[in-house]
Structures are given as structure tokens and as C-alpha cells.
């Protein structure tokens, strides 16, 4: 049994030495973040699920071939693979996928909430769905920086290099992304309050 306390570097080593369960643990730990990264870029649940499988197939290929040298930083590495696959998808498929307007509840099977009540779990899932929907409404440049920072855990220096802008521009985009998110959340709260008090 692989314990949760084992760090990613040890799990990667165990998998390279033939322990398949170690990779399953790595997938469980990283899956929700990898999926969110893909979903926020491609904005389509089914494409995101396909790319999720592809991400881990690519990761296995690199690990098995002995080309992995990320010094134990498995999560940022696998998220970077996902990000690149999503970008490649757009290069191959010029059309921009339509936004799927649905409750998205099945998306969250990968989240494991510990010891929460059903109500708390539902509340968390609703909040995650809501935030994802709001992030999709941000201008492309702001959304890209926010996804890279919060889901891929890149530094602003790395974001600046990947998006080919200055660090100040990357920081500015992040600031505006957060301001716009806050505005959208406040607008929702005000609309919700108005609905309750004006019945």
C-alpha cells in the first residue's frame, strides 16, 4: 500500500523501478489539477478528458524511457505536459471549441474530499464549477496567466518567458484577472442578495 506521506520523488523512483501502484498514486494526487488546466484552456469537457489520458500516456513514456529529470517536481511537470498538449490541440484544430453549458457535475469525480458532509462537498463542487465558469469569461491573456500561475504553479518569470512578455506585463495581467474575477463574484453576490430580499 502506498501511503499518502510518500513524496512525489519517491513515487516516481518506485514507478521507474516497476511499482505500478506508485504511478496510480501520482495520478490520484495530480489528476484534478491537470484536468482543470486542460479544461480551462480547451473549454470542453470531452476534449479535456481525452487530453487527460494523453497527458498520462506521455508521462509514462518519458518515465519508462529514462528521460525524466525533474528532480521530484512531478506535479508542475505533468501539468506542463497537459498545457503543451492543449496548445498543440489548438494548433492542429484551428476551430475554437464551443463552451459547454452544463452543470459539469461529473467533472468532479476526481476530487476526494476528506470527511466532509454531503452538503459541504456539494458546496465546494458548486464553488469550483462557478469559479471555472468565471475564469472562462476572462480575456484570453488574463486567463492564460491565471491558469499558469494557479494551476500550473509557474513563477512569473516562467510565465513571462512562455508568453513572451515582460515580467511586469505578466504581473499586470494577473492583477487584472483577479480584479475582474472579484468584480464578477461581487456582481453574482449582489444579484443573489437582490433575489432573496425582493421576493
Amino acid at each position: 500500500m502506498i501511503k499518502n506521506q510518500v513524496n512525489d520523488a519517491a513515487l516516481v523512483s518506485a514507478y521507474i523501478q516497476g511499482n505500478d501502484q506508485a504511478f496510480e498514486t501520482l495520478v490520484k494526487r495530480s489528476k484534478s489539477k491537470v484536468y482543470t488546466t486542460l479544461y480551462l484552456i480547451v473549454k470542453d469537457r470531452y476534449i479535456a478528458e481525452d487530453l487527460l489520458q494523453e497527458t498520462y500516456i506521455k508521462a509514462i513514456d518519458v518515465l519508462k524511457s529514462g528521460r525524466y529529470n525533474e528532480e521530484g517536481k512531478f506535479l508542475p511537470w505533468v501539468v506542463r505536459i497537459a498545457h503543451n498538449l492543449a496548445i498543440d490541440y489548438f494548433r492542429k484544430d484551428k476551430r475554437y471549441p464551443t463552451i459547454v453549458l452544463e452543470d459539469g457535475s461529473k467533472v468532479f469525480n476526481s476530487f476526494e474530499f476528506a470527511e466532509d458532509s454531503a452538503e459541504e462537498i456539494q458546496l465546494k463542487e458548486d464553488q469550483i464549477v462557478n469559479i471555472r465558469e468565471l475564469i472562462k469569461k476572462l480575456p484570453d491573456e488574463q486567463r492564460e496567466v491565471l491558469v499558469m500561475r494557479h494551476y500550473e504553479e509557474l513563477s512569473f518569470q516562467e510565465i513571462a518567458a512562455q508568453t513572451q512578455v515582460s515580467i511586469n506585463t505578466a504581473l499586470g495581467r494577473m492583477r487584472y484577472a483577479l480584479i475582474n474575477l472579484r468584480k464578477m463574484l461581487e456582481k453574482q453576490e449582489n444579484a443573489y442578495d437582490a433575489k432573496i430580499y425582493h421576493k
Side-chain angles (χ1 to χ4, degrees):
M1 190 64 189
I2 302 277
K3 296 278 185 291
N4 263 350
Q5 290 82 341
V6 179
N7 71 25
D8 288 356
L11 289 170
V12 167
S13 298
Y15 176 66
I16 290 168
Q17 283 154 27
N19 183 339
D20 287 344
Q21 203 193 338
F23 192 74
E24 281 172 37
T25 305
L26 285 165
V27 170
K28 269 184 199 153
R29 285 183 185 179
S30 57
K31 195 168 140 187
S32 61
K33 222 161 199 179
V34 172
Y35 179 87
T36 299
T37 300
L38 290 164
Y39 182 69
L40 290 172
I41 297 169
V42 299
K43 299 182 184 175
D44 182 301
R45 203 178 105 202
Y46 300 105
I47 294 165
E49 282 169 5
D50 282 349
L51 291 174
L52 182 71
Q53 305 299 323
E54 219 178 301
T55 299
Y56 286 109
I57 289 166
K58 206 159 188 173
I60 286 170
D61 182 45
V62 173
L63 291 170
K64 290 279 191 196
S65 68
R67 285 178 288 136
Y68 179 80
N69 60 353
E70 295 295 314
E71 289 155 26
K73 295 176 181 173
F74 180 80
L75 180 64
W77 174 71
V78 82
V79 167
R80 202 160 62 244
I81 292 174
H83 182 266
N84 291 338
L85 283 173
I87 300 304
D88 286 348
Y89 165 81
F90 281 121
R91 286 199 188 113
K92 283 182 211 144
D93 190 306
K94 291 293 183 216
R95 72 183 180 81
Y96 208 72
T98 53
I99 292 169
V100 183
L101 294 172
E102 54 181 77
D103 71 356
S105 53
K106 282 183 189 161
V107 164
F108 298 101
N109 291 348
S110 59
F111 282 91
E112 288 170 24
F113 296 116
E115 309 297 319
D116 283 348
S117 70
E119 290 80 11
E120 285 171 323
I121 291 170
Q122 189 57 52
L123 193 66
K124 280 182 185 176
E125 290 184 351
D126 291 346
Q127 284 169 342
I128 292 163
V129 172
N130 185 40
I131 293 289
R132 281 181 176 172
E133 288 305 315
L134 293 180
I135 290 170
K136 288 197 294 188
K137 292 176 184 173
L138 290 171
D140 288 349
E141 290 172 346
Q142 292 174 24
R143 188 181 67 247
E144 184 180 37
V145 172
L146 191 127
V147 169
M148 288 174 141
R149 182 79 185 120
H150 283 293
Y151 293 97
E152 299 180 36
E153 296 178 357
L154 297 181
S155 68
F156 280 106
Q157 199 169 351
E158 290 169 319
I159 292 167
Q162 280 198 29
T163 55
Q164 295 176 329
V165 296
S166 70
I167 290 178
N168 277 347
T169 302
L171 285 165
R173 286 175 182 176
M174 184 67 185
R175 190 170 154 263
Y176 285 118
L178 294 174
I179 288 169
N180 286 330
L181 263 186
R182 199 173 303 124
K183 276 184 193 164
M184 287 190 277
L185 282 165
E186 280 167 10
K187 206 170 168 185
Q188 277 185 346
E189 278 166 27
N190 293 340
Y192 181 72
D193 290 346
K195 230 189 280 180
I196 289 175
Y197 298 119
H198 297 291
K199 276 190 173 174

